[in-house]
Amino acid sequence: MANRFVQKLCGLAELATDDRSAIEKATACPRRYVARQDLIREGDEPGPMFVMLEGWACRYKILPSGTRQIMAFLMPGDACDLHIKLLAEMDHSIQTLTPAMVATVSRADMQALMSGHPNVARAMYSAQLVDEGIMRAWIVSMGRRSSVERVAHLICELYLRARTIGLTGDDEFALPLSQLLLADALGMTAVHINRVLKELRLAGAMALARGSATILDPVKLIQIAGFNENYLHRRLRKAL
Amino acid sequence: MANRFVQKLCGLAELATDDRSAIEKATACPRRYVARQDLIREGDEPGPMFVMLEGWACRYKILPSGTRQIMAFLMPGDACDLHIKLLAEMDHSIQTLTPAMVATVSRADMQALMSGHPNVARAMYSAQLVDEGIMRAWIVSMGRRSSVERVAHLICELYLRARTIGLTGDDEFALPLSQLLLADALGMTAVHINRVLKELRLAGAMALARGSATILDPVKLIQIAGFNENYLHRRLRKAL
DNA sequence: CGAGTACTTGAAAGCCGTCAAGAAGGGTGG
DNA sequence: CCACCCTTCTTGACGGCTTTCAAGTACTCG
């Protein structure tokens, strides 16, 4: 069974065998979570870093009005903030969306891993830069894209992210997100998401079934989304 | 003349005199820019890290439709991405908004500075965590806040950020942003920003003049915005 | 098999964008 | 110093996208 964290980091730097085994060792004792379980809540004191090995999670915030905004999806291979221990309290919560296996790595262990394995450090920093790029892309989507474009763009992003960790079929991939979750991530209502999905399905671009998404026409979907994958930085700098 | 970068980092970690002088040395040779000048463009190969010493800048992206989305405002003391050199190309552009003094620090110099001064490293990492918190807050604003709330929230944020680097008066602070810039940052049109500002002015919450903002009623503004300053992490962890 | 959640669809209201036109302010050149 | 121009700001009218409200259907889990 592949360690998705190792797999993801391998795409971000040249990792030797002992780099990989050191990463695996640091994440060797994951804990099992059920769906809809908070890993940490807004206001909590940050603890060790979380690493998603299986299953999905999200960063979210509940507003005074009771509405929720999801700020990021975490899929297998994704790690939470590197130096989070420096902060006094969390400014958002993190919750599993599916049953999940989550490893925790203390800041000391991560420091040791990174100082002993420079290429692991490079991969971790690159992963953080990609995460920041994704946040900026979300800001762009929310600010300047229509709801149809927004949905299409998110699906393109999630498909590519899933593909880099080997979780996609040919034109289909597992997407354990309800329409309500998509709505909370895209700043829309569940009702409107439903209408947009219907429109995308009738256009022959994509279809969303319970638990999986199907890309019916990649070119059309990319065109609708105005998708440019550069912010995912799949092509990294070869040499420093 | 205060070095705003030093001033900002001092708020993020305990810095000794030699820590501060090392930072000042690394940013000793800033370059002058005029307003509306790109520091770096989407697609460019990342170079040294930028540090704003005077003046404002923004991160932005132009969409195929020609519209612009601003993803972050950079004010004096703010630094751009730490490890950006790891990426092959920029996924967005950075442009000055006012005449500015900008220092550049090579990745090697920054590495040396941080490894020789652990508390500077802590401050830099904390600054990055705050920047990420700000991005998430923008996502929340764009997704779940009305236009009035959004404008109020941004003003609250910018006021607090300006205050930590000593750039605020009692109830007023320099805000060199046109209504068009605010619109591009908040995902609205300049026309609607204008109406919202009028509403906030008539409500007695705040007023925006050319180049400066006045907080007429802090309590009311915070209440309208639903503002919680926790994401700016002004209260950091005392000890590790 | 029952209950709750998720999905679907329609109708109406409202927020915000678009279009248009004019006023105000700042900078430049004569 | 003034005239001119351009950017920015301001306001009104209209239209459209999205939300809200409501009701009904399908699906899943206990």
Side-chain angles (χ1 to χ4, degrees):
Chain A
M1 176 80 198
N3 180 319
R4 304 291 177 190
F5 187 42
V6 172
Q7 193 171 348
K8 178 179 169 186
L9 294 183
C10 281
L12 294 170
E14 293 291 332
L15 296 188
T17 309
D18 71 311
D19 291 332
R20 289 199 288 263
S21 57
I23 300 170
E24 273 173 8
K25 192 176 156 206
T27 58
C29 300
R31 192 180 141 190
R32 182 171 298 283
Y33 288 84
V34 301
R36 293 164 184 269
Q37 191 172 356
D38 279 321
L39 300 183
I40 194 166
R41 286 200 184 89
E42 182 173 358
D44 285 356
E45 182 179 310
M49 191 182 80
F50 295 109
V51 177
M52 302 298 301
L53 294 181
E54 291 175 36
W56 285 47
C58 71
R59 301 177 188 272
Y60 73 98
K61 205 160 182 166
I62 306 284
L63 279 82
S65 64
T67 60
R68 176 175 66 167
Q69 178 64 43
I70 290 174
M71 293 160 288
F73 288 120
L74 302 172
M75 57 175 73
D78 287 338
C80 297
D81 321 76
L82 246 189
H83 298 284
I84 194 71
K85 258 267 178 190
L86 292 174
L87 300 181
E89 61 174 66
M90 291 293 292
D91 57 30
H92 64 282
S93 307
I94 303 177
Q95 186 175 85
T96 57
L97 299 174
T98 67
M101 295 291 286
V102 182
T104 54
V105 185
S106 72
R107 181 151 189 266
D109 286 354
M110 191 42 85
Q111 294 279 34
L113 173 61
M114 288 168 67
S115 60
H117 301 266
N119 283 342
V120 175
R122 286 186 57 184
M124 290 293 301
Y125 288 131
S126 294
Q128 188 168 19
L129 288 166
V130 171
D131 287 344
E132 289 174 24
I134 292 172
M135 280 195 269
R136 283 191 286 264
W138 281 39
I139 292 175
V140 173
S141 270
M142 314 263 278
R144 291 290 180 225
R145 280 193 251 262
S146 72
S147 56
V148 183
E149 295 166 347
R150 232 160 44 227
V151 172
H153 200 276
L154 179 62
I155 298 299
C156 288
E157 175 190 310
L158 294 177
Y159 175 79
L160 279 187
R161 285 171 61 189
R163 200 165 74 174
T164 62
I165 52 169
L167 288 182
T168 51
D170 221 19
D171 56 353
E172 188 203 24
F173 68 107
L175 187 72
L177 304 178
S178 68
Q179 295 184 4
L180 184 59
L181 279 167
L182 284 175
D184 284 345
L186 294 169
M188 305 162 52
T189 60
V191 171
H192 196 59
I193 279 276
N194 185 274
R195 288 191 241 266
V196 168
L197 287 174
K198 182 179 179 182
E199 186 178 337
L200 285 168
R201 187 177 354 111
L202 293 179
M206 58 159 289
L208 198 148
R210 223 183 170 70
S212 75
T214 305
I215 315 288
L216 301 174
D217 185 340
V219 174
K220 185 177 283 181
L221 190 65
I222 288 170
Q223 186 192 341
I224 292 174
F227 188 78
N228 179 339
E229 63 164 308
N230 66 351
Y231 72 97
L232 294 174
H233 297 285
R234 286 138 46 84
R235 204 170 50 74
L236 290 171
R237 171 162 303 201
K238 295 303 173 225
L240 275 191
Chain B
M1 176 80 199
N3 181 319
R4 305 291 178 190
F5 187 41
V6 172
Q7 193 171 349
K8 179 179 170 187
L9 294 184
C10 281
L12 294 170
E14 293 291 331
L15 297 187
T17 308
D18 70 311
D19 291 332
R20 289 200 286 265
S21 58
I23 300 169
E24 274 173 7
K25 192 176 157 205
T27 58
C29 300
R31 193 182 139 188
R32 181 172 299 282
Y33 288 84
V34 301
R36 293 164 183 268
Q37 192 171 357
D38 278 322
L39 301 183
I40 194 167
R41 287 200 184 88
E42 181 173 357
D44 284 357
E45 181 180 310
M49 191 182 79
F50 296 109
V51 177
M52 303 297 302
L53 295 180
E54 291 174 36
W56 286 48
C58 71
R59 302 177 187 271
Y60 73 97
K61 205 160 182 166
I62 306 285
L63 278 84
S65 64
T67 61
R68 177 174 66 169
Q69 178 64 44
I70 290 173
M71 294 159 288
F73 288 121
L74 302 172
M75 57 175 73
D78 287 339
C80 296
D81 321 76
L82 245 190
H83 298 284
I84 194 70
K85 259 266 178 192
L86 291 174
L87 300 181
E89 61 174 66
M90 290 294 290
D91 57 29
H92 64 282
S93 308
I94 303 177
Q95 185 174 87
T96 57
L97 299 174
T98 67
M101 295 290 286
V102 183
T104 54
V105 185
S106 72
R107 181 154 189 263
D109 286 355
M110 190 43 84
Q111 294 279 34
L113 173 62
M114 289 168 65
S115 59
H117 301 266
N119 282 342
V120 174
R122 287 187 55 184
M124 290 294 300
Y125 288 132
S126 296
Q128 188 168 18
L129 287 167
V130 171
D131 287 343
E132 289 174 24
I134 291 173
M135 279 196 270
R136 282 191 287 263
W138 280 40
I139 291 175
V140 173
S141 271
M142 314 263 277
R144 291 292 181 223
R145 280 192 253 263
S146 72
S147 55
V148 183
E149 295 165 347
R150 224 150 62 221
V151 172
H153 198 276
L154 179 62
I155 297 300
C156 287
E157 174 189 310
L158 295 177
Y159 175 79
L160 279 187
R161 285 171 61 189
R163 201 166 73 175
T164 61
I165 51 168
L167 288 182
T168 51
D170 221 18
D171 55 354
E172 188 204 24
F173 68 107
L175 187 72
L177 304 178
S178 69
Q179 295 183 5
L180 184 59
L181 279 167
L182 284 175
D184 283 345
L186 293 169
M188 305 163 52
T189 59
V191 171
H192 196 58
I193 279 276
N194 184 274
R195 289 190 242 265
V196 168
L197 287 174
K198 183 179 179 183
E199 186 178 337
L200 286 168
R201 186 176 355 110
L202 293 180
M206 58 160 288
L208 197 147
R210 223 184 170 70
S212 74
T214 306
I215 315 288
L216 301 173
D217 185 339
V219 174
K220 184 176 285 182
L221 189 65
I222 288 169
Q223 186 193 339
I224 291 173
F227 188 77
N228 179 340
E229 64 163 308
N230 66 351
Y231 73 96
L232 294 174
H233 297 284
R234 285 139 47 86
R235 205 169 49 75
L236 290 171
R237 172 161 305 201
K238 295 303 172 222
L240 277 190

